[in-house]
Amino acid sequence: MLPANRAPSRRDRVYSRDEIEALIADGGHVIILDGRVLKIDAWMQYHPGGDKAIKHMVGRDATDEVNALHSPIAKIRMRNFIIGRIEGRWTNFTPPIQGGKFRTQAELDALKQQQQQDSGCDTDVSEAPSPIFEPADPDAALRRRRTDTTYSRTSSATSISSGEELDTAAAAAAAAEKKKNDEPKMTLLDARTQEELKQDSQHYPPLDPATQDEIVRKYRALNERIEAEGLYQCHYSSYMIELARYSLFFTLFLVFLRWGWYATSGLFLGCFWHQLVFTAHDAGHMGITHNFAADTVIGIIVADFLGGLSLGWWKRNHNVHHIVTNHAEHDPDIQHLPFFAISHRFFSSLRSTYYDRVLHYDAPARFLIRYQNYLYYPILCFGRFNLYRLSWEYLLGGQAPRKGPAWWHRWLELAGQVTFWYWFGYRTVYLSIPTAWARVVFVLVSHVVTAPVHVQITLSHFAMSTADLGARESFPQKMLRTTMDVDCPQWLDFFHGGLQFQAIHHLYPRLPRHNLRKAQRLVMEFCDDVDIPYGLYGFADGNRRVIGRLGDVARQAAILAACQRSMAESADLGLH
């Protein structure tokens, strides 16, 4: 950790864009926070939420992401890493983990010298924004495009971006030339990407700085209003009701287990686990006490000791999800090959930056994806078994922090895992149930009953956009573009556990879930004000949209397979 008593003069140093680019090119992890330049290399291995989330913020203004996901105390500690400040508006780089390219100081100096020789004037080579993947009409993203309030969701797109800064005219000329050169040899998947990105750009505000800055300003003002109305205050009486419900389900599980009604006992144990997930989610976001240590202990007790799932794994995964929501290459929450693909991007065997491996679109994937809309619910019935695997992989595979403020989390979680498998695996399944068949029935029923939570998690994202509009898109717009809410009567809130308000939750993750319904009205007003569509669908309609998306991608997979077979048979591999 950098010393807390760094000289004020050093912290007040103004960094140019070139200097920050050079720091990143040398391997530095530099972010912008409230106009300050932070170099956080020393913190990477200690970050309780893992290093991946930080890497996606390198070279970017991380103010909104940090404010959304961190407590005030954490933000105070971040001051230790301030090395200077910037002047004026910051234009984001594309982080290295996302493919951004950065030049060293020597390369920047050489380029600047060459430009001076060519133009006869001093030029800052890093003033212009990083080029991003543009729609077929490069100017379309800079115009107001909405014609009505009815909008269709797009399924996917990708970005081709770089940290290298070109002047605006050169960037436009290069994009036009690339488009011209690419058109004759555009593949089926490329055409689909262009089409979906164009559709997405037609229903959301343009990416020009003035528009995006105004969205951010109003988003931050809304946060102040939410605070003023006391919606960040957790009402613990709500958790007394939750505790009563948990106790009822656990008691019924024990009673029917004693009576030998094993399937019924498993049903109530599954209900118990289903409800517990919501409190673990609250604790993971510091939405209960707003104290990092206290909420972590609550979360580990609920997730590990009672549920057998690692809270630390969930935090590492979930923090990345909140930053790069619905991005095919980066968001682990939509990376489910060979079972599911919600974007044609997965057909190219893309590399996951989260798992650090290629997600192969191999023979099993090609078969399963073609039927994924039919397999969606059956596969989710077994989702909990996969979470066990991921939890142990996290705890034993070196992903958990070993030092820093979270060093003890891993040990407490391991104790929780041992406790869970003792009371559930040994005392309940092995000792209390007499026959192998009854054990199988008990385990399957208890786990299948938890399937609704997996539906609820995927429901808010699978039907939404997977387009990457680049580094110029603001945090609030991206969250609202990739997330939807589920409309339900208030008496059903206990069943959804706050996950029905995912759009609101993604904007303000630390907001206590029992206050999300009250915040919904304010967020809807904000969306109307900034002209961003607010995704709100009923539970049944939301499920239809998800199944429709899966079916659409399945049909794309079938068409692609047919095209590949036809080209292979005719030996025409030009578009393969």
Side-chain angles (χ1 to χ4, degrees):
M1 183 177 294
L2 298 179
N5 59 344
R6 187 192 300 276
S9 59
R10 186 177 178 184
R11 291 188 173 192
D12 288 337
R13 174 188 170 183
V14 177
Y15 276 81
S16 70
R17 188 174 182 82
D18 283 1
E19 290 174 320
I20 292 176
E21 181 178 358
L23 286 174
I24 298 173
D26 290 336
H29 295 85
V30 180
I31 67 171
I32 309 301
L33 179 61
D34 288 323
R36 296 287 180 173
V37 181
L38 278 65
K39 190 171 184 294
I40 50 180
D41 299 74
W43 179 244
M44 297 292 289
Q45 61 179 320
Y46 303 130
H47 185 227
D51 62 341
K52 298 288 186 180
I54 295 177
K55 289 182 177 182
H56 284 290
M57 287 290 97
V58 171
R60 296 175 59 95
D61 186 334
T63 303
D64 291 319
E65 288 84 349
V66 168
N67 288 338
L69 294 167
H70 294 80
S71 68
I73 294 177
K75 287 183 284 186
I76 291 174
R77 290 175 179 168
M78 292 179 191
R79 297 174 184 172
N80 293 326
F81 305 98
I82 295 175
I83 62 172
R85 60 187 177 89
I86 60 170
E87 288 185 342
R89 184 185 188 275
W90 178 255
T91 301
N92 290 329
F93 286 111
T94 299
I97 194 173
Q98 297 181 12
K101 306 298 181 183
F102 295 83
R103 297 161 296 186
T104 64
Q105 191 61 56
E107 292 172 329
L108 288 166
D109 290 341
L111 181 58
K112 184 179 294 187
Q113 183 178 9
Q114 182 63 43
Q115 289 180 341
Q116 289 174 353
Q117 292 174 354
D118 293 342
S119 63
C121 62
D122 189 10
T123 304
D124 183 353
V125 300
S126 288
E127 287 182 356
S130 302
I132 66 167
F133 185 85
E134 299 288 357
D137 177 3
D139 295 327
L142 303 180
R143 296 195 297 263
R144 205 64 182 154
R145 304 158 316 311
R146 287 191 59 202
T147 57
D148 55 53
T149 57
T150 303
Y151 56 97
S152 61
R153 296 297 184 182
T154 63
S155 64
S156 69
T158 185
S159 68
I160 302 174
S161 55
S162 169
E164 292 189 32
E165 302 305 312
L166 305 174
D167 62 72
T168 305
E177 183 65 21
K178 183 179 186 305
K179 174 190 171 186
K180 179 180 178 182
N181 293 336
D182 285 350
E183 279 178 349
K185 52 188 177 184
M186 182 175 290
T187 68
L188 176 67
L189 299 185
D190 290 336
R192 181 73 179 186
T193 294
Q194 291 265 12
E195 176 189 350
E196 293 177 346
L197 183 57
K198 182 178 179 180
Q199 289 176 0
D200 213 44
S201 68
Q202 292 173 347
H203 298 283
Y204 291 90
L207 302 179
D208 61 278
T211 300
Q212 293 301 309
D213 287 353
E214 183 66 6
I215 292 172
V216 169
R217 185 187 68 79
K218 292 181 177 180
Y219 163 70
R220 295 175 182 176
L222 176 59
N223 184 61
E224 294 177 357
R225 184 179 176 186
I226 288 174
E227 287 182 343
E229 295 194 13
L231 296 184
Y232 275 102
Q233 298 175 9
C234 180
H235 300 288
Y236 296 110
S237 58
S238 299
Y239 281 101
M240 294 300 101
I241 299 174
E242 301 287 346
L243 182 61
R245 186 182 304 115
Y246 302 162
S247 300
L248 174 63
F249 285 142
F250 197 77
T251 299
L252 291 173
F253 145 64
L254 292 176
V255 167
F256 284 106
L257 180 67
R258 184 176 182 84
W259 289 352
W261 292 31
Y262 301 119
T264 307
S265 175
L267 183 148
F268 284 111
L269 179 58
C271 292
F272 174 71
W273 284 337
H274 174 266
Q275 291 290 297
L276 280 184
V277 166
F278 306 138
T279 297
H281 183 256
D282 298 342
H285 279 295
M286 292 181 292
I288 301 177
T289 69
H290 300 307
N291 178 278
F292 173 72
D295 278 353
T296 296
V297 171
I298 292 172
I300 290 176
I301 290 173
V302 170
D304 291 84
F305 283 80
L306 298 178
L309 307 179
S310 168
L311 183 75
W313 161 79
W314 176 85
K315 279 188 176 184
R316 186 176 189 266
N317 178 287
H318 201 64
N319 286 343
V320 174
H321 164 67
H322 268 267
I323 290 173
V324 286
T325 309
N326 265 25
H327 195 299
E329 285 87 353
H330 310 309
D331 183 0
D333 272 17
I334 64 169
Q335 295 176 344
H336 301 298
L337 284 182
F339 301 106
F340 301 124
I342 65 170
S343 167
H344 66 273
R345 290 283 295 117
F346 291 100
F347 300 165
S348 59
S349 294
L350 55 81
R351 181 175 182 81
S352 167
T353 59
Y354 181 83
Y355 292 110
D356 288 326
R357 59 180 174 82
V358 174
L359 304 177
H360 292 287
Y361 188 62
D362 51 18
R366 288 194 294 272
F367 174 78
L368 291 170
I369 297 305
R370 293 177 62 181
Y371 305 100
Q372 62 178 353
N373 48 320
Y374 303 107
L375 298 173
Y376 175 65
Y377 296 113
I379 289 175
L380 291 187
C381 288
F382 300 93
R384 193 174 185 88
F385 294 104
N386 185 50
L387 299 185
Y388 293 143
R389 177 187 67 83
L390 292 169
S391 296
W392 281 107
E393 188 177 279
Y394 169 81
L395 293 171
L396 301 180
Q399 299 174 10
R402 303 297 179 96
K403 299 179 181 179
W407 69 268
W408 53 275
H409 294 182
R410 176 173 174 268
W411 296 106
L412 185 58
E413 287 202 80
L414 287 171
Q417 292 293 320
V418 171
T419 301
F420 171 79
W421 289 106
Y422 173 74
W423 75 258
F424 171 69
Y426 178 68
R427 295 298 299 255
T428 300
V429 176
Y430 183 72
L431 290 184
S432 301
I433 302 177
T435 66
W437 175 245
R439 291 170 187 155
V440 170
V441 169
F442 174 83
V443 169
L444 287 179
V445 169
S446 62
H447 285 67
V448 168
V449 169
T450 66
V453 78
H454 303 291
V455 174
Q456 289 162 323
I457 291 171
T458 58
L459 182 63
S460 294
H461 299 293
F462 271 24
M464 301 302 288
S465 171
T466 58
D468 177 19
L469 299 186
R472 293 187 296 180
E473 185 178 30
S474 64
F475 172 74
Q477 177 169 314
K478 181 175 179 62
M479 294 303 102
L480 290 166
R481 186 172 57 83
T482 57
T483 311
M484 77 176 187
D485 280 356
V486 176
D487 193 19
C488 72
Q490 188 169 354
W491 64 269
L492 262 181
D493 283 355
F494 83 94
F495 175 74
H496 293 286
L499 298 184
Q500 76 273 36
F501 299 115
Q502 279 289 291
I504 304 167
H505 170 69
H506 269 253
L507 290 174
Y508 305 105
R510 294 182 296 109
L511 202 63
R513 73 166 141 118
H514 300 101
N515 294 336
L516 290 174
R517 182 172 287 277
K518 295 178 182 178
Q520 186 179 49
R521 172 182 55 84
L522 303 180
V523 171
M524 293 176 74
E525 291 176 0
F526 163 76
C527 289
D528 288 340
D529 189 22
V530 298
D531 209 20
I532 294 179
Y534 175 64
L536 179 64
Y537 304 95
F539 186 70
D541 190 30
N543 274 268
R544 281 193 292 269
R545 292 180 66 84
V546 169
I547 296 300
R549 164 63 62 79
L550 294 173
D552 181 49
V553 177
R555 286 188 292 273
Q556 295 175 42
I559 293 172
L560 177 63
C563 290
Q564 290 174 332
R565 285 195 301 270
S566 176
M567 289 186 292
E569 292 170 359
S570 62
D572 178 11
L573 305 181
L575 298 176
H576 188 71

